[in-house]
Amino acid sequence: MNNFLLLPIIIPFFFGMILMFGQKNLKYQRTFALLGIGLALVSAISLLLKVKNDGVQKITFGDWPVPYGITMVSDMVSALLVTTTLLITFFVVWYGFGSITKERERFFYYPGIMFILTGVNGAFTTGDIFNLFVFFEVLLMSSYLLIVLGGEKQQLMGSIKYILINVISSALFVITVAFLYSVVGTLNMADIAVKIGEIDQPGIVTVIAVLFLMVFGLKAAIFPLYFWLPTSYAAAPIPVLTLFGALLTKVGIYAITRTYTLFFVYDLSYTHDLLMALAIATIIAGCIGALAYFDVKLIIIYNIVIAVGVILFGVSQMNEIALKGAMFYLIHDMLIKAALFMLIGIVIYITGTSDLRKMGGLMKKYPALGWFYLIAAFGLAGIPPLSGFVGKLLIVQGGFQAGSMWSSIFILASSLLVLLSVIRIFLYAFWGEEKETKGTVDKKVYTTLFVPTVLVVLITVAYGVGSEWLTPFMDDAAKLLNDPSIYIDAVMKGD
């Protein structure tokens, strides 16, 4: 038994409970929030290295034999995602010191973040399909708090749609899990993969696969189920929007990736072709949205939708190269979206608006902000040697290997539209005539916002330039996704 893999889940949960007290004491709240995330990050990095050296780690509660107990599993996929989640959250919380209002900070803001981390890390680590639902609900309940924090009219309007969609999605999730259980008689993910391989009911399994795609597609915001995302996310304060944009849709992507590489691998001509078609449609819808709006929040939010399509296209190809690219791109997207939302948050703070048409000339007073934004924009579009390049190149290479030539060319072409959408922000906000800004910019607040943002941008640059050092980790993740037997054997064997 290896209790160590539970630390990235238990530590945020423990600190979340501590932070439920002393709401009026901001120094206490901020200090313990950063301390909790920092300790969880150290444990996650240690776990990542242990998984690299010793292979897949697991623990089954109550010392029950697999598959009868609840099993938690940390493989290279989950370890990478958990580490990235905690790294991003550390900087977002730091950034929030200058961005979130003190009234919001005093109303369970930090416990909400901690419980979201508990849900996200639990979803990445669980080896039980029903407990994936449980951890989804943990992160959703916390997100309901954060999305309405402040009680502004726009927030309440966006939150109603967000809550309704997730209630429907959760109900469908439980129904689909019950349907799956009635067919295979188990909830352990590794055991489900074994049982599906043994039964001779491909039609029923394919129906269940499509139902799971609907459930997780709602959470990941794939076409045509992405309609709730732009207005719901745009209503949240910038630090909350950054967390949501960097983390929450990625849990849906992870769930699709895990189930479509572990369980549903016996009818690829239907399930994975459907996934590929929806991924391409998602990219098209995201590109249209990113180019149609002049609101900086909505432009970056629609780029979330585009990235969802690119990652799932890589998953749909079901070969090691494409899956390696999908992992590279998934981690890249988490980092780069955090950086971009933090950057536009500074722009909105300076200008007092999110409308591009009311911005201009920021480069004269804030040249460093402009150049760091441009670096992040190039990284998002995949300009070599920045972070988006390696992942997209591998996804396209895997697409060619799988025979999806035209689709792969389209993936490459979409990079130009992504670049155009984010360069518009640079041209409107930083170039041109200088326009009046609303109010005065507090230098101390600006520094509090700028420093963690720059560090995140530099991490994205290091991720791209140093991709050679990360390749062994991505290789392990891709091999595990491409060969389900690695995961199954590690979980099903005795301790």
Side-chain angles (χ1 to χ4, degrees), residues 8-9 11-13 33 36-37 40 82 84-90 93 110-124 135 138-139 142 243 247-248:
I9 305 166
I11 292 173
F13 181 72
I37 297 167
V82 166
T84 308
T85 295
L86 291 163
L87 180 67
I88 290 168
T89 308
F90 182 87
V93 168
Y110 294 108
I113 288 176
M114 289 299 178
F115 292 134
I116 273 191
L117 284 177
T118 302
V120 171
N121 290 344
F124 288 148
F135 283 116
V138 171
L139 71 90
S142 305
L243 272 183
L247 303 183
L248 296 197

PDB file of all heavy atoms in Angstrom, residues 8-9 11-13 33 36-37 40 82 84-90 93 110-124 135 138-139 142 243 247-248:
ATOM      1  N   PRO A   8      -1.515  14.764  -2.427  1.00  0.00           N
ATOM      2  CA  PRO A   8      -1.993  15.918  -3.200  1.00  0.00           C
ATOM      3  C   PRO A   8      -3.505  16.125  -3.118  1.00  0.00           C
ATOM      4  O   PRO A   8      -3.998  17.195  -3.500  1.00  0.00           O
ATOM      5  CB  PRO A   8      -1.566  15.577  -4.639  1.00  0.00           C
ATOM      6  CG  PRO A   8      -0.435  14.619  -4.491  1.00  0.00           C
ATOM      7  CD  PRO A   8      -0.774  13.811  -3.274  1.00  0.00           C
ATOM      8  N   ILE A   9      -4.233  15.125  -2.614  1.00  0.00           N
ATOM      9  CA  ILE A   9      -5.680  15.266  -2.413  1.00  0.00           C
ATOM     10  C   ILE A   9      -5.972  15.658  -0.966  1.00  0.00           C
ATOM     11  O   ILE A   9      -6.772  16.563  -0.696  1.00  0.00           O
ATOM     12  CB  ILE A   9      -6.406  13.940  -2.741  1.00  0.00           C
ATOM     13  CG1 ILE A   9      -6.055  13.471  -4.155  1.00  0.00           C
ATOM     14  CG2 ILE A   9      -7.912  14.078  -2.575  1.00  0.00           C
ATOM     15  CD1 ILE A   9      -6.442  12.041  -4.442  1.00  0.00           C
ATOM     16  N   ILE A  11      -3.940  17.009   1.427  1.00  0.00           N
ATOM     17  CA  ILE A  11      -3.397  18.285   1.912  1.00  0.00           C
ATOM     18  C   ILE A  11      -4.316  19.461   1.569  1.00  0.00           C
ATOM     19  O   ILE A  11      -4.663  20.258   2.454  1.00  0.00           O
ATOM     20  CB  ILE A  11      -1.962  18.514   1.380  1.00  0.00           C
ATOM     21  CG1 ILE A  11      -0.995  17.501   2.015  1.00  0.00           C
ATOM     22  CG2 ILE A  11      -1.490  19.943   1.681  1.00  0.00           C
ATOM     23  CD1 ILE A  11       0.406  17.522   1.427  1.00  0.00           C
ATOM     24  N   PRO A  12      -4.777  19.618   0.302  1.00  0.00           N
ATOM     25  CA  PRO A  12      -5.719  20.715   0.032  1.00  0.00           C
ATOM     26  C   PRO A  12      -7.022  20.589   0.823  1.00  0.00           C
ATOM     27  O   PRO A  12      -7.575  21.599   1.281  1.00  0.00           O
ATOM     28  CB  PRO A  12      -5.984  20.591  -1.476  1.00  0.00           C
ATOM     29  CG  PRO A  12      -4.799  19.890  -2.019  1.00  0.00           C
ATOM     30  CD  PRO A  12      -4.376  18.936  -0.950  1.00  0.00           C
ATOM     31  N   PHE A  13      -7.495  19.356   1.014  1.00  0.00           N
ATOM     32  CA  PHE A  13      -8.729  19.154   1.781  1.00  0.00           C
ATOM     33  C   PHE A  13      -8.533  19.586   3.237  1.00  0.00           C
ATOM     34  O   PHE A  13      -9.386  20.281   3.813  1.00  0.00           O
ATOM     35  CB  PHE A  13      -9.142  17.687   1.718  1.00  0.00           C
ATOM     36  CG  PHE A  13     -10.414  17.385   2.460  1.00  0.00           C
ATOM     37  CD1 PHE A  13     -11.643  17.803   1.976  1.00  0.00           C
ATOM     38  CD2 PHE A  13     -10.384  16.684   3.664  1.00  0.00           C
ATOM     39  CE1 PHE A  13     -12.815  17.541   2.662  1.00  0.00           C
ATOM     40  CE2 PHE A  13     -11.548  16.414   4.357  1.00  0.00           C
ATOM     41  CZ  PHE A  13     -12.773  16.841   3.861  1.00  0.00           C
ATOM     42  N   ALA A  33      -3.274  29.450   2.655  1.00  0.00           N
ATOM     43  CA  ALA A  33      -3.628  28.998   1.305  1.00  0.00           C
ATOM     44  C   ALA A  33      -2.365  28.682   0.512  1.00  0.00           C
ATOM     45  O   ALA A  33      -2.242  27.599  -0.097  1.00  0.00           O
ATOM     46  CB  ALA A  33      -4.456  30.059   0.593  1.00  0.00           C
ATOM     47  N   GLY A  36      -0.548  25.593   2.045  1.00  0.00           N
ATOM     48  CA  GLY A  36      -1.201  24.329   1.700  1.00  0.00           C
ATOM     49  C   GLY A  36      -0.921  23.912   0.272  1.00  0.00           C
ATOM     50  O   GLY A  36      -0.589  22.746  -0.005  1.00  0.00           O
ATOM     51  N   ILE A  37      -1.029  24.868  -0.658  1.00  0.00           N
ATOM     52  CA  ILE A  37      -0.772  24.545  -2.071  1.00  0.00           C
ATOM     53  C   ILE A  37       0.699  24.197  -2.273  1.00  0.00           C
ATOM     54  O   ILE A  37       1.037  23.267  -3.018  1.00  0.00           O
ATOM     55  CB  ILE A  37      -1.185  25.720  -2.973  1.00  0.00           C
ATOM     56  CG1 ILE A  37      -2.690  25.968  -2.865  1.00  0.00           C
ATOM     57  CG2 ILE A  37      -0.817  25.437  -4.431  1.00  0.00           C
ATOM     58  CD1 ILE A  37      -3.155  27.271  -3.460  1.00  0.00           C
ATOM     59  N   ALA A  40       1.325  20.668  -0.999  1.00  0.00           N
ATOM     60  CA  ALA A  40       0.717  19.719  -1.934  1.00  0.00           C
ATOM     61  C   ALA A  40       1.555  19.606  -3.207  1.00  0.00           C
ATOM     62  O   ALA A  40       1.719  18.510  -3.767  1.00  0.00           O
ATOM     63  CB  ALA A  40      -0.718  20.137  -2.261  1.00  0.00           C
ATOM     64  N   VAL A  82      -1.760  16.322 -11.998  1.00  0.00           N
ATOM     65  CA  VAL A  82      -1.859  16.792 -10.609  1.00  0.00           C
ATOM     66  C   VAL A  82      -0.773  17.823 -10.315  1.00  0.00           C
ATOM     67  O   VAL A  82      -1.043  18.881  -9.711  1.00  0.00           O
ATOM     68  CB  VAL A  82      -1.758  15.601  -9.626  1.00  0.00           C
ATOM     69  CG1 VAL A  82      -1.504  16.082  -8.204  1.00  0.00           C
ATOM     70  CG2 VAL A  82      -3.025  14.750  -9.679  1.00  0.00           C
ATOM     71  N   THR A  84       0.857  19.767 -12.462  1.00  0.00           N
ATOM     72  CA  THR A  84       0.576  21.004 -13.215  1.00  0.00           C
ATOM     73  C   THR A  84      -0.556  21.791 -12.572  1.00  0.00           C
ATOM     74  O   THR A  84      -0.506  23.023 -12.483  1.00  0.00           O
ATOM     75  CB  THR A  84       0.214  20.659 -14.670  1.00  0.00           C
ATOM     76  OG1 THR A  84       1.213  19.812 -15.233  1.00  0.00           O
ATOM     77  CG2 THR A  84       0.109  21.921 -15.516  1.00  0.00           C
ATOM     78  N   THR A  85      -1.587  21.086 -12.110  1.00  0.00           N
ATOM     79  CA  THR A  85      -2.726  21.734 -11.444  1.00  0.00           C
ATOM     80  C   THR A  85      -2.272  22.542 -10.234  1.00  0.00           C
ATOM     81  O   THR A  85      -2.653  23.708 -10.055  1.00  0.00           O
ATOM     82  CB  THR A  85      -3.749  20.668 -11.004  1.00  0.00           C
ATOM     83  OG1 THR A  85      -4.302  20.042 -12.166  1.00  0.00           O
ATOM     84  CG2 THR A  85      -4.875  21.274 -10.176  1.00  0.00           C
ATOM     85  N   LEU A  86      -1.458  21.940  -9.395  1.00  0.00           N
ATOM     86  CA  LEU A  86      -1.005  22.616  -8.171  1.00  0.00           C
ATOM     87  C   LEU A  86      -0.041  23.764  -8.478  1.00  0.00           C
ATOM     88  O   LEU A  86      -0.079  24.812  -7.826  1.00  0.00           O
ATOM     89  CB  LEU A  86      -0.350  21.606  -7.235  1.00  0.00           C
ATOM     90  CG  LEU A  86      -1.334  20.596  -6.617  1.00  0.00           C
ATOM     91  CD1 LEU A  86      -0.595  19.391  -6.055  1.00  0.00           C
ATOM     92  CD2 LEU A  86      -2.165  21.263  -5.527  1.00  0.00           C
ATOM     93  N   LEU A  87       0.795  23.576  -9.488  1.00  0.00           N
ATOM     94  CA  LEU A  87       1.720  24.638  -9.888  1.00  0.00           C
ATOM     95  C   LEU A  87       0.955  25.874 -10.350  1.00  0.00           C
ATOM     96  O   LEU A  87       1.242  27.008  -9.924  1.00  0.00           O
ATOM     97  CB  LEU A  87       2.633  24.127 -11.014  1.00  0.00           C
ATOM     98  CG  LEU A  87       3.661  25.114 -11.564  1.00  0.00           C
ATOM     99  CD1 LEU A  87       4.708  25.440 -10.501  1.00  0.00           C
ATOM    100  CD2 LEU A  87       4.330  24.549 -12.818  1.00  0.00           C
ATOM    101  N   ILE A  88      -0.038  25.674 -11.203  1.00  0.00           N
ATOM    102  CA  ILE A  88      -0.842  26.791 -11.707  1.00  0.00           C
ATOM    103  C   ILE A  88      -1.597  27.467 -10.572  1.00  0.00           C
ATOM    104  O   ILE A  88      -1.629  28.702 -10.465  1.00  0.00           O
ATOM    105  CB  ILE A  88      -1.822  26.287 -12.791  1.00  0.00           C
ATOM    106  CG1 ILE A  88      -1.058  25.907 -14.062  1.00  0.00           C
ATOM    107  CG2 ILE A  88      -2.885  27.344 -13.104  1.00  0.00           C
ATOM    108  CD1 ILE A  88      -1.893  25.147 -15.077  1.00  0.00           C
ATOM    109  N   THR A  89      -2.204  26.672  -9.704  1.00  0.00           N
ATOM    110  CA  THR A  89      -3.026  27.231  -8.628  1.00  0.00           C
ATOM    111  C   THR A  89      -2.197  28.081  -7.679  1.00  0.00           C
ATOM    112  O   THR A  89      -2.670  29.114  -7.180  1.00  0.00           O
ATOM    113  CB  THR A  89      -3.736  26.112  -7.854  1.00  0.00           C
ATOM    114  OG1 THR A  89      -4.421  25.261  -8.770  1.00  0.00           O
ATOM    115  CG2 THR A  89      -4.751  26.678  -6.870  1.00  0.00           C
ATOM    116  N   PHE A  90      -0.951  27.678  -7.432  1.00  0.00           N
ATOM    117  CA  PHE A  90      -0.073  28.469  -6.562  1.00  0.00           C
ATOM    118  C   PHE A  90       0.066  29.893  -7.096  1.00  0.00           C
ATOM    119  O   PHE A  90      -0.080  30.876  -6.356  1.00  0.00           O
ATOM    120  CB  PHE A  90       1.303  27.798  -6.455  1.00  0.00           C
ATOM    121  CG  PHE A  90       2.263  28.510  -5.547  1.00  0.00           C
ATOM    122  CD1 PHE A  90       2.280  28.232  -4.186  1.00  0.00           C
ATOM    123  CD2 PHE A  90       3.133  29.471  -6.041  1.00  0.00           C
ATOM    124  CE1 PHE A  90       3.159  28.897  -3.334  1.00  0.00           C
ATOM    125  CE2 PHE A  90       4.016  30.146  -5.201  1.00  0.00           C
ATOM    126  CZ  PHE A  90       4.023  29.855  -3.840  1.00  0.00           C
ATOM    127  N   VAL A  93      -3.370  31.913  -7.030  1.00  0.00           N
ATOM    128  CA  VAL A  93      -3.695  32.430  -5.689  1.00  0.00           C
ATOM    129  C   VAL A  93      -2.844  33.663  -5.371  1.00  0.00           C
ATOM    130  O   VAL A  93      -3.344  34.673  -4.860  1.00  0.00           O
ATOM    131  CB  VAL A  93      -3.501  31.331  -4.626  1.00  0.00           C
ATOM    132  CG1 VAL A  93      -3.554  31.916  -3.218  1.00  0.00           C
ATOM    133  CG2 VAL A  93      -4.565  30.252  -4.784  1.00  0.00           C
ATOM    134  N   TYR A 110     -10.773  31.207  -0.359  1.00  0.00           N
ATOM    135  CA  TYR A 110      -9.646  30.276  -0.274  1.00  0.00           C
ATOM    136  C   TYR A 110     -10.081  28.839   0.031  1.00  0.00           C
ATOM    137  O   TYR A 110      -9.547  27.895  -0.574  1.00  0.00           O
ATOM    138  CB  TYR A 110      -8.616  30.786   0.746  1.00  0.00           C
ATOM    139  CG  TYR A 110      -7.960  32.065   0.285  1.00  0.00           C
ATOM    140  CD1 TYR A 110      -8.267  33.278   0.893  1.00  0.00           C
ATOM    141  CD2 TYR A 110      -7.066  32.069  -0.775  1.00  0.00           C
ATOM    142  CE1 TYR A 110      -7.683  34.470   0.456  1.00  0.00           C
ATOM    143  CE2 TYR A 110      -6.478  33.246  -1.224  1.00  0.00           C
ATOM    144  CZ  TYR A 110      -6.793  34.443  -0.605  1.00  0.00           C
ATOM    145  OH  TYR A 110      -6.224  35.605  -1.056  1.00  0.00           O
ATOM    146  N   PRO A 111     -11.042  28.606   0.937  1.00  0.00           N
ATOM    147  CA  PRO A 111     -11.545  27.230   1.076  1.00  0.00           C
ATOM    148  C   PRO A 111     -12.131  26.693  -0.235  1.00  0.00           C
ATOM    149  O   PRO A 111     -11.953  25.511  -0.559  1.00  0.00           O
ATOM    150  CB  PRO A 111     -12.638  27.365   2.147  1.00  0.00           C
ATOM    151  CG  PRO A 111     -12.248  28.552   2.942  1.00  0.00           C
ATOM    152  CD  PRO A 111     -11.616  29.501   1.968  1.00  0.00           C
ATOM    153  N   GLY A 112     -12.804  27.560  -0.997  1.00  0.00           N
ATOM    154  CA  GLY A 112     -13.355  27.134  -2.289  1.00  0.00           C
ATOM    155  C   GLY A 112     -12.274  26.641  -3.226  1.00  0.00           C
ATOM    156  O   GLY A 112     -12.429  25.606  -3.897  1.00  0.00           O
ATOM    157  N   ILE A 113     -11.147  27.353  -3.272  1.00  0.00           N
ATOM    158  CA  ILE A 113     -10.024  26.937  -4.117  1.00  0.00           C
ATOM    159  C   ILE A 113      -9.458  25.600  -3.643  1.00  0.00           C
ATOM    160  O   ILE A 113      -9.153  24.708  -4.447  1.00  0.00           O
ATOM    161  CB  ILE A 113      -8.935  28.029  -4.129  1.00  0.00           C
ATOM    162  CG1 ILE A 113      -9.419  29.235  -4.935  1.00  0.00           C
ATOM    163  CG2 ILE A 113      -7.628  27.484  -4.722  1.00  0.00           C
ATOM    164  CD1 ILE A 113      -8.469  30.405  -4.931  1.00  0.00           C
ATOM    165  N   MET A 114      -9.313  25.456  -2.333  1.00  0.00           N
ATOM    166  CA  MET A 114      -8.748  24.218  -1.784  1.00  0.00           C
ATOM    167  C   MET A 114      -9.638  23.011  -2.094  1.00  0.00           C
ATOM    168  O   MET A 114      -9.145  21.928  -2.429  1.00  0.00           O
ATOM    169  CB  MET A 114      -8.564  24.350  -0.269  1.00  0.00           C
ATOM    170  CG  MET A 114      -7.446  25.290   0.130  1.00  0.00           C
ATOM    171  SD  MET A 114      -5.859  24.713  -0.507  1.00  0.00           S
ATOM    172  CE  MET A 114      -4.779  26.015   0.043  1.00  0.00           C
ATOM    173  N   PHE A 115     -10.942  23.198  -1.994  1.00  0.00           N
ATOM    174  CA  PHE A 115     -11.846  22.074  -2.263  1.00  0.00           C
ATOM    175  C   PHE A 115     -11.941  21.779  -3.762  1.00  0.00           C
ATOM    176  O   PHE A 115     -12.157  20.630  -4.153  1.00  0.00           O
ATOM    177  CB  PHE A 115     -13.220  22.342  -1.658  1.00  0.00           C
ATOM    178  CG  PHE A 115     -13.218  22.335  -0.143  1.00  0.00           C
ATOM    179  CD1 PHE A 115     -13.858  23.342   0.577  1.00  0.00           C
ATOM    180  CD2 PHE A 115     -12.555  21.349   0.553  1.00  0.00           C
ATOM    181  CE1 PHE A 115     -13.847  23.351   1.964  1.00  0.00           C
ATOM    182  CE2 PHE A 115     -12.529  21.333   1.942  1.00  0.00           C
ATOM    183  CZ  PHE A 115     -13.166  22.339   2.649  1.00  0.00           C
ATOM    184  N   ILE A 116     -11.753  22.808  -4.597  1.00  0.00           N
ATOM    185  CA  ILE A 116     -11.650  22.545  -6.039  1.00  0.00           C
ATOM    186  C   ILE A 116     -10.419  21.686  -6.321  1.00  0.00           C
ATOM    187  O   ILE A 116     -10.466  20.729  -7.106  1.00  0.00           O
ATOM    188  CB  ILE A 116     -11.593  23.860  -6.842  1.00  0.00           C
ATOM    189  CG1 ILE A 116     -13.011  24.341  -7.142  1.00  0.00           C
ATOM    190  CG2 ILE A 116     -10.832  23.696  -8.144  1.00  0.00           C
ATOM    191  CD1 ILE A 116     -13.100  25.475  -8.131  1.00  0.00           C
ATOM    192  N   LEU A 117      -9.298  22.010  -5.669  1.00  0.00           N
ATOM    193  CA  LEU A 117      -8.081  21.205  -5.839  1.00  0.00           C
ATOM    194  C   LEU A 117      -8.306  19.766  -5.389  1.00  0.00           C
ATOM    195  O   LEU A 117      -7.823  18.820  -6.020  1.00  0.00           O
ATOM    196  CB  LEU A 117      -6.925  21.816  -5.043  1.00  0.00           C
ATOM    197  CG  LEU A 117      -6.265  23.066  -5.621  1.00  0.00           C
ATOM    198  CD1 LEU A 117      -5.193  23.579  -4.677  1.00  0.00           C
ATOM    199  CD2 LEU A 117      -5.664  22.772  -6.986  1.00  0.00           C
ATOM    200  N   THR A 118      -9.036  19.601  -4.284  1.00  0.00           N
ATOM    201  CA  THR A 118      -9.356  18.250  -3.805  1.00  0.00           C
ATOM    202  C   THR A 118     -10.113  17.471  -4.873  1.00  0.00           C
ATOM    203  O   THR A 118      -9.788  16.310  -5.166  1.00  0.00           O
ATOM    204  CB  THR A 118     -10.216  18.328  -2.520  1.00  0.00           C
ATOM    205  OG1 THR A 118      -9.515  19.073  -1.529  1.00  0.00           O
ATOM    206  CG2 THR A 118     -10.526  16.935  -1.989  1.00  0.00           C
ATOM    207  N   GLY A 119     -11.113  18.115  -5.485  1.00  0.00           N
ATOM    208  CA  GLY A 119     -11.908  17.446  -6.509  1.00  0.00           C
ATOM    209  C   GLY A 119     -11.134  17.163  -7.776  1.00  0.00           C
ATOM    210  O   GLY A 119     -11.210  16.063  -8.338  1.00  0.00           O
ATOM    211  N   VAL A 120     -10.369  18.155  -8.235  1.00  0.00           N
ATOM    212  CA  VAL A 120      -9.611  17.990  -9.483  1.00  0.00           C
ATOM    213  C   VAL A 120      -8.543  16.907  -9.327  1.00  0.00           C
ATOM    214  O   VAL A 120      -8.441  15.988 -10.160  1.00  0.00           O
ATOM    215  CB  VAL A 120      -8.972  19.332  -9.905  1.00  0.00           C
ATOM    216  CG1 VAL A 120      -7.995  19.125 -11.065  1.00  0.00           C
ATOM    217  CG2 VAL A 120     -10.042  20.342 -10.306  1.00  0.00           C
ATOM    218  N   ASN A 121      -7.749  16.984  -8.263  1.00  0.00           N
ATOM    219  CA  ASN A 121      -6.690  15.988  -8.053  1.00  0.00           C
ATOM    220  C   ASN A 121      -7.269  14.604  -7.790  1.00  0.00           C
ATOM    221  O   ASN A 121      -6.703  13.587  -8.206  1.00  0.00           O
ATOM    222  CB  ASN A 121      -5.789  16.411  -6.893  1.00  0.00           C
ATOM    223  CG  ASN A 121      -4.942  17.619  -7.233  1.00  0.00           C
ATOM    224  OD1 ASN A 121      -4.797  17.973  -8.396  1.00  0.00           O
ATOM    225  ND2 ASN A 121      -4.382  18.264  -6.220  1.00  0.00           N
ATOM    226  N   GLY A 122      -8.408  14.554  -7.089  1.00  0.00           N
ATOM    227  CA  GLY A 122      -9.072  13.269  -6.865  1.00  0.00           C
ATOM    228  C   GLY A 122      -9.564  12.655  -8.160  1.00  0.00           C
ATOM    229  O   GLY A 122      -9.425  11.442  -8.381  1.00  0.00           O
ATOM    230  N   ALA A 123     -10.132  13.484  -9.048  1.00  0.00           N
ATOM    231  CA  ALA A 123     -10.609  12.984 -10.347  1.00  0.00           C
ATOM    232  C   ALA A 123      -9.452  12.448 -11.186  1.00  0.00           C
ATOM    233  O   ALA A 123      -9.587  11.427 -11.873  1.00  0.00           O
ATOM    234  CB  ALA A 123     -11.338  14.096 -11.097  1.00  0.00           C
ATOM    235  N   PHE A 124      -8.299  13.127 -11.136  1.00  0.00           N
ATOM    236  CA  PHE A 124      -7.133  12.662 -11.889  1.00  0.00           C
ATOM    237  C   PHE A 124      -6.557  11.363 -11.314  1.00  0.00           C
ATOM    238  O   PHE A 124      -5.917  10.596 -12.042  1.00  0.00           O
ATOM    239  CB  PHE A 124      -6.031  13.725 -11.881  1.00  0.00           C
ATOM    240  CG  PHE A 124      -6.324  14.932 -12.729  1.00  0.00           C
ATOM    241  CD1 PHE A 124      -5.854  16.184 -12.359  1.00  0.00           C
ATOM    242  CD2 PHE A 124      -7.058  14.822 -13.897  1.00  0.00           C
ATOM    243  CE1 PHE A 124      -6.114  17.307 -13.140  1.00  0.00           C
ATOM    244  CE2 PHE A 124      -7.330  15.936 -14.689  1.00  0.00           C
ATOM    245  CZ  PHE A 124      -6.865  17.182 -14.302  1.00  0.00           C
ATOM    246  N   PHE A 135     -15.729  12.850  -7.205  1.00  0.00           N
ATOM    247  CA  PHE A 135     -14.761  13.948  -7.237  1.00  0.00           C
ATOM    248  C   PHE A 135     -15.207  15.064  -8.185  1.00  0.00           C
ATOM    249  O   PHE A 135     -14.918  16.235  -7.942  1.00  0.00           O
ATOM    250  CB  PHE A 135     -13.371  13.424  -7.605  1.00  0.00           C
ATOM    251  CG  PHE A 135     -12.673  12.740  -6.467  1.00  0.00           C
ATOM    252  CD1 PHE A 135     -12.351  11.386  -6.525  1.00  0.00           C
ATOM    253  CD2 PHE A 135     -12.326  13.444  -5.324  1.00  0.00           C
ATOM    254  CE1 PHE A 135     -11.709  10.751  -5.476  1.00  0.00           C
ATOM    255  CE2 PHE A 135     -11.676  12.825  -4.264  1.00  0.00           C
ATOM    256  CZ  PHE A 135     -11.366  11.470  -4.339  1.00  0.00           C
ATOM    257  N   VAL A 138     -17.420  17.137  -6.071  1.00  0.00           N
ATOM    258  CA  VAL A 138     -16.658  17.950  -5.115  1.00  0.00           C
ATOM    259  C   VAL A 138     -16.159  19.228  -5.787  1.00  0.00           C
ATOM    260  O   VAL A 138     -16.317  20.339  -5.255  1.00  0.00           O
ATOM    261  CB  VAL A 138     -15.470  17.151  -4.536  1.00  0.00           C
ATOM    262  CG1 VAL A 138     -14.557  18.061  -3.712  1.00  0.00           C
ATOM    263  CG2 VAL A 138     -15.967  15.998  -3.671  1.00  0.00           C
ATOM    264  N   LEU A 139     -15.556  19.087  -6.966  1.00  0.00           N
ATOM    265  CA  LEU A 139     -15.027  20.283  -7.638  1.00  0.00           C
ATOM    266  C   LEU A 139     -16.152  21.175  -8.147  1.00  0.00           C
ATOM    267  O   LEU A 139     -16.019  22.413  -8.154  1.00  0.00           O
ATOM    268  CB  LEU A 139     -14.060  19.889  -8.755  1.00  0.00           C
ATOM    269  CG  LEU A 139     -14.593  19.246 -10.043  1.00  0.00           C
ATOM    270  CD1 LEU A 139     -14.931  20.316 -11.087  1.00  0.00           C
ATOM    271  CD2 LEU A 139     -13.555  18.285 -10.629  1.00  0.00           C
ATOM    272  N   SER A 142     -17.628  23.333  -5.255  1.00  0.00           N
ATOM    273  CA  SER A 142     -16.728  24.445  -4.963  1.00  0.00           C
ATOM    274  C   SER A 142     -16.785  25.504  -6.060  1.00  0.00           C
ATOM    275  O   SER A 142     -16.729  26.708  -5.785  1.00  0.00           O
ATOM    276  CB  SER A 142     -15.292  23.930  -4.819  1.00  0.00           C
ATOM    277  OG  SER A 142     -15.219  22.909  -3.855  1.00  0.00           O
ATOM    278  N   LEU A 243      -8.538  29.895 -13.050  1.00  0.00           N
ATOM    279  CA  LEU A 243      -8.606  28.527 -12.535  1.00  0.00           C
ATOM    280  C   LEU A 243      -9.537  27.666 -13.369  1.00  0.00           C
ATOM    281  O   LEU A 243      -9.204  26.535 -13.736  1.00  0.00           O
ATOM    282  CB  LEU A 243      -9.095  28.539 -11.084  1.00  0.00           C
ATOM    283  CG  LEU A 243      -8.074  28.684  -9.969  1.00  0.00           C
ATOM    284  CD1 LEU A 243      -8.768  28.598  -8.625  1.00  0.00           C
ATOM    285  CD2 LEU A 243      -6.982  27.626 -10.070  1.00  0.00           C
ATOM    286  N   LEU A 247      -8.147  24.594 -15.584  1.00  0.00           N
ATOM    287  CA  LEU A 247      -8.295  23.291 -14.920  1.00  0.00           C
ATOM    288  C   LEU A 247      -9.583  22.538 -15.249  1.00  0.00           C
ATOM    289  O   LEU A 247      -9.540  21.347 -15.555  1.00  0.00           O
ATOM    290  CB  LEU A 247      -8.216  23.475 -13.393  1.00  0.00           C
ATOM    291  CG  LEU A 247      -6.970  24.141 -12.828  1.00  0.00           C
ATOM    292  CD1 LEU A 247      -7.039  24.173 -11.308  1.00  0.00           C
ATOM    293  CD2 LEU A 247      -5.711  23.433 -13.293  1.00  0.00           C
ATOM    294  N   LEU A 248     -10.730  23.194 -15.171  1.00  0.00           N
ATOM    295  CA  LEU A 248     -11.990  22.437 -15.118  1.00  0.00           C
ATOM    296  C   LEU A 248     -12.304  21.686 -16.406  1.00  0.00           C
ATOM    297  O   LEU A 248     -12.714  20.522 -16.365  1.00  0.00           O
ATOM    298  CB  LEU A 248     -13.150  23.353 -14.729  1.00  0.00           C
ATOM    299  CG  LEU A 248     -13.082  23.969 -13.324  1.00  0.00           C
ATOM    300  CD1 LEU A 248     -14.444  24.494 -12.899  1.00  0.00           C
ATOM    301  CD2 LEU A 248     -12.566  22.988 -12.287  1.00  0.00           C
TER     302      LEU A 248
END
